[in-house]
Amino acid sequence: MRTSISRAAFTAIITTVLSSAAVAAQTEQRNCRFTLATKSDGQQADVDWKVAIANKDSSGRVVVTGSGDYKAKAKKFKSGAMEFSFKTEVSKENITIGAKGEALWDIQFKNGDFLAYFGTCSAAKVTS
């Protein structure tokens, strides 16, 4: 038995499938590891924070292992760098990732203290 489908219907189906694949391909995930901290008073310490970041366009999610899961705003720069901004109950935080994977995580606490972490991130396209 042979079924026939109109050219318009076929085009609509293909366009939908390709559009869905394009949207899925735009979701990016970064796995970051921060290994050095600098405190407000200038003291430095070795640390080991693991952070997973996912974004699609300007919305993102930051998951800090052992700490929490936060909704973030994502911003992409012409240089290829990305910035993720989010808030917790006690702070305003930004994670900036350079085009080559270098990363800075700065935290401004509501009490005026400042903390910065330095590390690296790897990126991967996620399809779903």
Side-chain angles (χ1 to χ4, degrees), residues 8-26:
F10 181 74
T11 302
I13 291 168
I14 295 300
T15 302
T16 301
V17 169
L18 292 176
S19 295
S20 298
V23 168
Q26 291 176 358

Side-chain angles (χ1 to χ4, degrees), residues 44-123:
Q44 292 188 334
D46 292 330
V47 296
D48 189 15
W49 282 104
K50 292 179 178 78
V51 179
I53 303 170
N55 77 290
K56 181 176 173 186
D57 300 322
S58 63
S59 66
R61 176 90 55 236
V62 175
V63 180
V64 181
T65 302
S67 179
D69 183 339
Y70 308 97
K71 183 177 177 182
K73 291 182 182 179
K75 183 178 179 181
K76 187 167 188 167
F77 297 94
K78 288 181 183 179
S79 67
M82 292 287 300
E83 180 180 74
F84 299 90
S85 302
F86 59 100
K87 293 180 181 179
T88 71
E89 290 181 14
V90 297
S91 64
K92 182 177 175 185
E93 307 188 22
N94 291 301
I95 297 177
T96 305
I97 305 168
K100 295 181 180 179
E102 65 281 12
L104 169 65
W105 176 10
D106 63 272
I107 304 171
Q108 295 283 334
F109 292 97
K110 290 180 180 179
N111 68 4
D113 286 343
F114 175 86
L115 184 59
Y117 294 112
F118 303 91
T120 58
C121 300
S122 60

Side-chain angles (χ1 to χ4, degrees), residues 33-46:
R33 186 172 182 194
F34 294 89
T35 55
L36 179 66
T38 300
K39 299 178 182 180
S40 299
D41 60 7
Q43 289 184 335
Q44 292 188 334
D46 292 330

